[in-house]
Structures are given as C-alpha cells and as structure tokens.
Amino acid sequence: MVNYLDLKRINDSFEPELSGVVDGVVRSGWYLFGEHVRRFEQRFARYCGVRHCVGVGNGLDALTLIFMSYVSMGRMREGDEVIVPANTYIASILAILRAGLKPVLCEPDWETCNISPRRLKELVSERTKAVMVVHLYGRVCRMDEVDAVARQHGLWVVEDCAQAHGVSYKGKKAGALGHAAGFSFYPGKNLGALGDAGAVTTDDEELAGRVRMLANYGSSAKYVHPYVGINSRLDELQAAVLGLKLDRLDEDNARRRMIARKYTEGIKNPIIILPQMEKDEEAHVFHVFTVFSPQRDALRRHLSERGVQALVHYPIPPHRQGALAEYAGLSLPVTERIHREELSLPMSPLLTDEEVKEVVEAVNSFNG
C-alpha cells in the first residue's frame, strides 16, 4: 500500500533528535512563553525574510489575528470587504468572518488554481480594503499582478501560507510577499508540528505587536487588557519540534519537487490532467500534487484497488457549504470544476522511487 501521507514515517526520520527535544521540553518544566518559542520565532522570521514572527495556536488563528489587528488598529472597519479565492479551504474565509469583515469570493485561474488577478481587479469596490492570496497546493501566486491591483486601490495584501512553507516568488519567500502572512503548522504540512500550531509573519512592527497582544487575551502587560483578545499560543513543545524540522525544510521541499517531476514525466494517461510545472522550480513546494479528471471518483476507486491511497482537496467548494449559505447563489464555474475533478496523489519527501513508480503505473492503467 502506498499511503497518501505517513506521518509516523516522517517523524521517525527525525529520530532520535525528535524524542530528545520533546523530552527536553517535558523535563524543563517550562511550557509556554519560553526560549524555544522565542528562538523559533526569530529563526522563522529570518527564514521567510521578514522582521517579525509571532507564534500562535494554529493557522486559522494566525489569519484571524491579522484581520482582528487591522480592525483594532483602525486600518479596517467591521463590514469592510476582503477579496479571497473562491476555491480555498474554508478556513481562509472563516478568518475574515471571525474578524467581522465580509469575504468576497474570487474565481481562480484554471491553470494555477490560484486567485485570478484579472478577476480580482473586477471585484474591487469602494468597500474593499484587502485581498487574501492563498498559495494553494504549494504553488506561489502571481504576486506582481496582485500587487499592482493592490497598489492601485490601496489594499492590504494578506498571504495564506498554510500550504506554502518555503515557496519562493522571484527569490523572495512566501511570508514576505504581502503586508502580513498566516502560517499553519498542522502535522501534515511541509513544516509540521506534533499538533496544532501557527504563526504570523510581517515587516510591520505595529501589526506584529498588536497580533501578539490580541493573541494573549488582548494583554499589554500581566493583568492589563486594553483590547478584546483571544487565547492563541504557540507552546514550547511545538516550537522545539518546529525548530528541529526547519533545518530540513528546504531539503524536503527539493525531494517533493523531484517526486513531482517523476509524476509529470511518467504519467501518460490522456484522461488525466497534470499540473503545469513552473519554469522556476522554487515557485512550487508541492504540499499537494494535484491531478484532474472528469472521472475523478472512478480514478480514486481504481487507485485504491491498486493499493494507492489518493485524497480529494476539497470535495465541496466553500460557497456550497451550509456555513456560507448566503453565497450559494454565486456562479463560480472554475471553482466548481476544480472541486469536482481534483485528486491528490501520494506526496511526501519520504516516498521511495519504487513507491512513486507504483503510483505512476496505477494512474496509467486507469482506462475509465
């Protein structure tokens, strides 16, 4: 069986160092606001190429806190609009709603599955104050075109980097491509913790300070709470684990790209649409390797019968979710096609060449 993702296998590959750092934290007696968090924040900020990193509890909180901070600082008002890709995972949209703002759903480009700069420009209104880009599947957005629209209309640019750890655009890493960025370190990410964890990165010192306060109950000093905040912390255990794994992130991403090349070179089935490969290899870190087919569900069953586990990211588009019923009437044909035809093949830096070959052969043997 070729598993889609074997987290135990990945974590075992960091042994015995992984158990060592976990044991060190447990024995230290210090579990929050400690040296591991401070060190990881500093290192991850440097890695992304920004001045500030604030560790938080998870990726959803990271994005929510950015928008909460903008509202708290008076840069945005409740009810302002934020343009967001229509085909993203629902967390991107929930972050906007949690901050009292209004999501405006934008169709992606079919070729990249990322936000369409042309459609983005068409959706800007007097109430638009920000655009959220999502580097979906690990492919970086076309930031020059997005930035041109943002500058023209004075918009804040927020990156959802939940699937984009280490990806670059013209030599600059995700997390430093907008005014602020939210990261998730969910265990299955390219840089994954042993539980939930997240971070905000930015060059904006005022924003970083406000995010830090709002994540700590709105507190500026112990028992002093000038703002209405939440409780969202990156703990010492997760920070220690992330610090260890950060050392290998670029190496693991390089292996992901190698596997993606083997897939694209080996899969010859005309029923399958492969992702377009970027000329700049650094522009994709293949958190997910996506293929598309009108016969997606039959293909998935076929792969399962051949011992290959494939997943769907994601079966139901956000505007068809009950939580977003007010958007159900939208016509979003590109988004709906992506969600109807997408299938994710196994992807992990620890997949062997033999396992990749098994996947390729299983895909090529599908005849509908």
Side-chain angles (χ1 to χ4, degrees), residues 140-154:
V140 75
C141 294
R142 288 149 49 192
M143 294 305 298
D144 283 355
E145 297 175 61
V146 172
D147 287 342
V149 176
R151 286 193 300 270
Q152 180 182 355
H153 297 281

Side-chain angles (χ1 to χ4, degrees), residues 4 11 16 26 47 54 66 76 89 126 129 136 212 227 277 283 285 291 298 300 340 362:
Y4 174 76
N11 286 323
V26 172
Y47 178 82
V54 181
I66 291 170
M76 300 180 71
Y89 182 56
E126 291 183 357
K129 293 298 184 293
L136 197 65
R212 196 175 293 280
Y227 307 107
M277 300 295 285
V285 292
V291 298
R300 187 182 185 190
R340 185 171 60 247

Side-chain angles (χ1 to χ4, degrees), residues 108-144:
D109 286 325
W110 167 252
E111 294 76 15
T112 65
C113 297
N114 280 336
I115 195 167
S116 165
R118 177 182 62 82
R119 295 184 176 97
L120 164 64
K121 189 173 183 178
E122 295 170 354
L123 289 172
V124 176
S125 73
E126 291 183 357
R127 299 197 66 181
T128 307
K129 293 298 184 293
V131 54
M132 182 193 291
V133 297
V134 181
H135 307 302
L136 197 65
Y137 308 143
R139 182 194 298 270
V140 75
C141 294
R142 288 149 49 192
M143 294 305 298
D144 283 355

Side-chain angles (χ1 to χ4, degrees), residues 333-346:
V334 179
T335 291
E336 291 178 6
R337 181 184 177 188
I338 289 171
H339 287 259
R340 185 171 60 247
E341 297 187 6
E342 189 277 339
L343 188 68
S344 302
L345 300 184

